[in-house]
Amino acid sequence: MMETLSLLMNGFAVAGTPMNLALAALGAVVGTMVGVLPGLGPVNAVAMLVPVVFALGLPPESSMILMAAIYIGSEYGGRISAILINVPGEASAVMTAIEGYPLSRRGMAGVALSLSAWTSFVGSVLATVGIVLAAPVLSRWALAFGPVEYVALMIFAFACLTGLLSDQPIKALLATGIGLALSTIGIDANSGVMRYTFDMPNLIDGLAFSTLVIGLFAISELLILLQGHRDGASVRIERMGRSLFNLSEMRFTFASALRGSGIGFFIGLLPGAGGTVASALAYSTERKLTERRDPQGSQFGQGDLRGLATVEASNNSASNSNFIPMLTLGIPSSGTTAIMLGVLTLYNLTPGPMLFTSQPELVWGLIASLFIGNVMLLAMNIPLVGFFARMLTVPAWVLVPFIVVVSAVGVYSGKSASFDLILMVVVGVAAYWLRRMHVPMAPLILGFVLGGILETNLRRSLSLSAGDVSVLWSSSIAITLWVAAGAILLLPRLLRRALPPEASLAED
């Protein structure tokens, strides 16, 4: 324990340098702005920054601190539009709108905004404490992972994403398959043969990470904005009334925030899970507990502070604990952590258990920056609620050209090749049609990022076993992961079929 505290203090020394403090503050501001604006998201902001951090020559720990601040800041910001105008800025803020918007309509918007900022802070800090306590343990446990275990772990990550985060698993599996296929473009590392390059020299090195991500998210998003699917023609903000919660409201919601923090922390540990799943589970748990204890006093669905508190604590707790599988196992838990994983590989760093010994200043500096970033976000979000609300009035005709310019500059600065700009547009148009068909993008980017790791470990496993496929379930860890992956994919469908029609309708 003393060694962990010593490493954490060294991490604060890294995160506390003037440059890293400035980057954390910048990330907190940008992340909150990104979270406020519906349709954007941390994935877009972080993807656009990938070529920028390399152009500026930032060290890896500074790049990670900036991106982490944007990630956690977006979770804070997503609640603002959800509470004020019933438009969640982030997917994880969908549950926030259920209780936050009715509170706003009742003249308690200020209370809802300030209380959600406080419970977001509680969830984030508790999860970061959990990272300090659990990450070193998980990193030592992860040393037991060989190529066989990593293959099973990759499949488990894909199963989590398709089973938990999508109500249409076939489309999620299709997206994963597309991502895996895209990861094979380029020169085969083992044979040196060019694969799927179509004799184009620009594809010899494979698809550029920033080009793919910006095309998938930013370009497809602006096409959707242009079509008018996400245009709010009129933005009306209700009178906010009292701007700060009081002590009795803090006490009233504190237990709910603790429960939400615990649920969010453990959901965030699952590769592929995150704030969306955590907030839904925390909300349903809190609602059942409250209605069982006090059926007359429950106002869930009509503006209950307990529901708002548990949702905000859970999704922010999950977004922080998402860093544990990324740092200890090299498994991204979301689209944003997938990009951060890709950035680490661009620095020639391999995320995983050895990162704690080979790059302790990066790992512990990042963990310490989460404490610092959350304090900054709390100090910024409570007094600046009015400013962030006015940002919602930015019209699409201003927002769309800005996204186009920033995306084009970000992609072109990577290789200075016009081919990447054309590829960005092609990918964006393809992603737009996939999204029109409700094919999720998160499994696609996860498949692309993990495809190389999966292929390398699969080939290594089969080489060690002389081609015997049974080696893939030859260890207890691998068997456990295969069984868990199968359960996540199959059990919900089997239970749905086993239930009588009346029960299915009641659940829906």
Side-chain angles (χ1 to χ4, degrees):
M1 186 63 186
M2 294 304 297
E3 180 184 0
T4 300
L5 290 176
S6 175
L7 291 169
L8 182 60
M9 291 300 103
N10 292 336
F12 274 107
V14 172
T17 62
M19 181 178 71
N20 288 339
L21 284 175
L23 290 173
L26 175 64
V29 173
V30 172
T32 305
M33 293 168 61
V34 164
V36 167
L37 294 172
L40 292 179
V43 175
N44 295 333
V46 170
M48 293 176 191
L49 282 174
V50 171
V52 176
V53 296
F54 283 96
L56 295 176
L58 293 179
E61 59 271 16
S62 299
S63 300
M64 289 296 104
I65 287 172
L66 173 61
M67 294 179 182
I70 292 174
Y71 183 30
I72 62 175
S74 68
E75 294 294 336
Y76 277 74
R79 79 195 197 286
I80 296 175
S81 56
I83 291 171
L84 293 177
I85 60 172
N86 201 28
V87 178
E90 293 296 316
S92 57
V94 170
M95 307 306 293
T96 302
I98 295 176
E99 301 298 338
Y101 186 62
L103 286 168
S104 177
R105 300 290 295 175
R106 285 160 45 189
M108 297 180 64
V111 174
L113 287 167
S114 58
L115 182 66
S116 64
W118 163 249
T119 52
S120 296
F121 174 78
V122 170
S124 297
V125 169
L126 290 178
T128 309
V129 172
I131 293 175
V132 173
L133 298 176
V137 175
L138 286 176
S139 69
R140 288 193 290 269
W141 170 72
L143 289 172
F145 274 60
V148 171
E149 287 77 16
Y150 262 102
V151 170
L153 184 63
M154 299 299 154
I155 301 301
F156 175 69
F158 295 140
C160 283
L161 198 67
T162 56
L164 292 177
L165 297 185
S166 176
D167 56 355
Q168 300 186 56
I170 301 301
K171 292 182 179 179
L173 287 172
L174 171 64
T176 303
I178 294 173
L180 289 170
L182 292 176
S183 71
T184 63
I185 296 175
I187 297 179
D188 181 9
N190 289 337
S191 64
V193 175
M194 290 189 292
R195 302 183 297 187
Y196 313 116
T197 60
F198 304 101
D199 294 326
M200 295 181 183
N202 291 286
L203 291 178
I204 291 177
D205 294 331
L207 292 179
F209 185 75
S210 57
T211 302
L212 180 66
V213 172
I214 291 177
L216 284 177
F217 293 96
I219 301 302
S220 66
E221 190 63 48
L222 70 88
L223 290 175
I224 290 174
L225 282 172
L226 286 173
Q227 193 186 15
H229 285 304
R230 299 192 177 186
D231 252 344
S234 62
V235 178
R236 188 164 68 94
I237 299 173
E238 301 291 330
R239 183 181 179 88
M240 290 193 299
R242 181 159 52 95
S243 61
L244 190 65
F245 61 89
N246 55 37
L247 190 60
S248 63
E249 290 165 339
M250 179 191 289
R251 287 198 301 264
F252 180 62
T253 59
F254 192 66
S256 301
L258 290 180
R259 283 189 288 269
S261 300
I263 292 172
F265 178 78
F266 287 107
I267 293 297
L269 294 178
L270 293 173
T276 307
V277 178
S279 60
L281 182 58
Y283 180 80
S284 61
T285 302
E286 191 66 27
R287 182 167 188 164
K288 289 177 182 177
L289 285 175
T290 303
E291 292 178 347
R292 185 177 302 170
R293 293 174 181 172
D294 185 16
Q296 301 299 324
S298 172
Q299 294 184 338
F300 275 73
Q302 304 171 15
D304 196 300
L305 291 174
R306 292 165 293 188
L308 179 67
T310 195
V311 165
E312 284 301 299
S314 63
N315 61 39
N316 283 273
S317 178
S319 67
N320 281 260
S321 64
N322 273 172
F323 287 103
I324 292 182
M326 187 193 83
L327 292 173
T328 59
L329 301 175
I331 301 295
S333 303
S334 63
T336 309
T337 52
I339 295 175
M340 295 176 70
L341 179 70
V343 170
L344 284 177
T345 60
L346 294 176
Y347 279 106
N348 293 321
L349 298 174
T350 304
M354 298 309 297
L355 195 66
F356 280 77
T357 55
S358 63
Q359 296 287 332
E361 68 282 351
L362 185 152
V363 173
W364 292 102
L366 174 61
I367 294 173
S369 75
L370 296 177
F371 285 106
I372 296 172
N374 279 296
V375 173
M376 290 179 174
L377 284 162
L378 179 66
M380 179 180 67
N381 272 261
I382 289 181
L384 296 180
V385 164
F387 169 75
F388 293 130
R390 284 192 293 273
M391 287 175 52
L392 296 170
T393 60
V394 176
W397 63 268
V398 173
L399 191 61
V400 169
F402 175 76
I403 295 175
V404 171
V405 171
V406 173
S407 300
V409 171
V411 168
Y412 188 79
S413 62
K415 292 183 180 179
S416 299
S418 57
F419 176 84
D420 287 340
L421 293 175
I422 298 172
L423 186 60
M424 174 190 74
V425 175
V426 171
V427 170
V429 172
Y432 165 75
W433 286 109
L434 286 173
R435 292 176 67 175
R436 287 286 305 274
M437 294 183 287
H438 305 289
V439 176
M441 293 294 102
L444 197 156
I445 191 64
L446 187 68
F448 178 77
V449 170
L450 298 183
I453 303 174
L454 175 61
E455 181 183 6
T456 299
N457 285 283
L458 179 60
R459 284 184 166 185
R460 192 176 299 166
S461 301
L462 296 177
S463 297
L464 293 174
S465 66
D468 185 3
V469 180
S470 63
V471 71
L472 297 178
W473 46 85
S474 60
S475 72
S476 57
I477 295 177
I479 292 173
T480 302
L481 290 170
W482 280 106
V483 171
I488 288 174
L489 287 174
L490 299 177
L491 276 181
R493 282 89 208 166
L494 294 176
L495 289 175
R496 193 175 294 119
R497 290 185 178 183
L499 288 173
E502 297 81 6
S504 298
L505 290 172
E507 283 192 355
D508 294 339

